[in-house]
Each structure stands twice: as C-alpha cells, then as structure tokens.
Amino acid sequence: MVLTGPVRADPRAREHPGFTKADFTPNWQARTLTCPRGVTSHPWKATQGDGHEWLSVLFPKPACRTCEARQECTGTAEDRSRHIILLPQLLQEIQTRVRREQETVQWRQHYAIRAGCEATVSETVHAHGLRHCRYRGMAKTHVQHILTAAGTDIIRLSGHFPPGTSPPRQPRPASRFKRLCRTLTN
C-alpha cells in the first residue's frame, strides 16, 4: 500500500519563473550543489528551522554576479547570490521524485481515486453533520453513521435514474465523484 498525496510545489517556482531547486544537481558526498550553468556552491551548512533540520546552500557571489542567467536564477538583479534550502538527503530525494511524478497523467489518475474518497468524507461531514453525533453511546453513534452513509448513497443514486422515471427538475452539475465514476467506467 502506497500513500499518495501531493507535495507542495516549489514555492520559489511561483515567485520567480526560471530555475527551481530541481534544476540543481546535489553532490551529497562533497556537500555541494551545482547550478544548471555549472557553478558549484560553497559546502552547505546544517541549520534548524521550524524544529526541522535543513541544509543551507549558498552560491559564491562573484559567480552569480557575472552569470548570464542571473535573473532566471536569483529572480533579482541586486547584488545577491542564489540561496537554496535542502532537506536531508533521503527526504530531499523523495520530495524531488514525488514532485516529478505528480506531473504525470498516471499519478493524477491514481490520486483522483483518493480525491474522490476525500470528497465523500467531506460531503458527509459538511452536508450531513457527521462530526457531531446526535446520540450517546457507541451503538447509537454507529447507527447514526450507517444512516448518514445510506442517506448519502440515496442522494447520489437519485441522480442516476433512467430518463423519464424521475420527476422533471433542473439537472444538477455533475459532482467530482460522478465525474470520477464516469472516467473510471469509460
């Protein structure tokens, strides 16, 4: 069983189009990072942030000042060099791999199943008040959960009657769950 979930996109990629962390090549033994233009960073330093260990990588200022791709890399024309924060090796490799995988169609199709399940849970919580039990005791709480699930199923099934067998009404837009079911059955 593999837990599938999205990894937040590189926040710097939204701020400044150009080179992202994935474009840089780490050398874990030498503790350096190489930029797409071939410049190697100073050895990185371990830092602490938000209670987690990070690796702070700083590139030499003279190399960044003279680089033709400075605007793409640093996002600024000021007298700065590129600074990148890495996770420890195992976590950084996982994050890079997952960011690359989540851009594929196969990953999106696989994640759509989880998204459909989460939408169902969200619907029962928000529309049917599943988090707030109206009864006391495990047996009565269990009955409420069963009835809520059955009611959710009935509401969803009511949109699947053959044409002409249900009373005329304005069609509802298809929910994410219905769209997911249609794509999986086609």
Side-chain angles (χ1 to χ4, degrees):
M1 176 70 109
V2 175
L3 177 64
T4 302
V7 173
R8 182 177 68 129
D10 189 352
R12 183 156 178 99
R14 282 190 308 244
E15 294 172 16
H16 306 288
F19 298 131
T20 63
K21 191 189 304 188
D23 297 323
F24 291 78
T25 308
N27 183 338
W28 296 102
Q29 286 73 32
R31 299 173 44 99
T32 59
L33 204 59
T34 305
C35 81
R37 299 288 180 157
V39 176
T40 303
S41 72
H42 297 297
W44 57 60
K45 297 176 183 161
T47 62
Q48 288 282 327
D50 297 333
H52 301 285
E53 182 182 333
W54 292 346
L55 305 171
S56 177
V57 184
L58 194 60
F59 282 85
K61 276 188 182 181
C64 289
R65 278 188 204 134
T66 60
C67 183
E68 299 165 1
R70 179 189 187 118
Q71 192 68 27
E72 294 175 36
C73 188
T74 63
T76 181
E78 295 175 19
D79 193 25
R80 289 186 182 167
S81 62
R82 181 70 187 254
H83 180 231
I84 295 178
I85 300 291
L86 295 176
L87 297 169
Q89 182 177 358
L90 180 62
L91 296 176
Q92 185 62 50
E93 289 171 350
I94 292 170
Q95 183 185 62
T96 303
R97 178 180 48 82
V98 171
R99 279 184 177 157
R100 197 173 33 248
E101 286 174 358
Q102 73 187 21
E103 298 300 320
T104 64
V105 174
Q106 294 88 0
W107 187 91
R108 288 187 184 133
Q109 288 173 341
H110 182 71
Y111 183 68
I113 296 169
R114 176 178 168 190
C117 293
E118 288 186 8
T120 300
V121 170
S122 178
E123 178 185 347
T124 57
V125 167
H126 292 92
H128 308 297
L130 190 62
R131 277 207 186 112
H132 303 287
C133 189
R134 292 167 179 83
Y135 308 104
R136 290 200 174 140
M138 290 297 285
K140 291 179 182 178
T141 301
H142 180 69
V143 169
Q144 178 185 340
H145 289 169
I146 297 297
L147 292 174
T148 302
T152 302
D153 288 343
I154 290 169
I155 290 169
R156 287 185 172 174
L157 286 172
S158 70
H160 292 285
F161 284 112
T165 60
S166 64
R169 60 186 167 104
Q170 291 291 333
R172 285 191 230 166
S175 68
R176 291 178 75 182
F177 181 75
K178 279 186 189 177
R179 290 191 303 259
L180 174 65
C181 289
R182 287 181 191 150
T183 58
L184 292 176
T185 56
N186 292 339

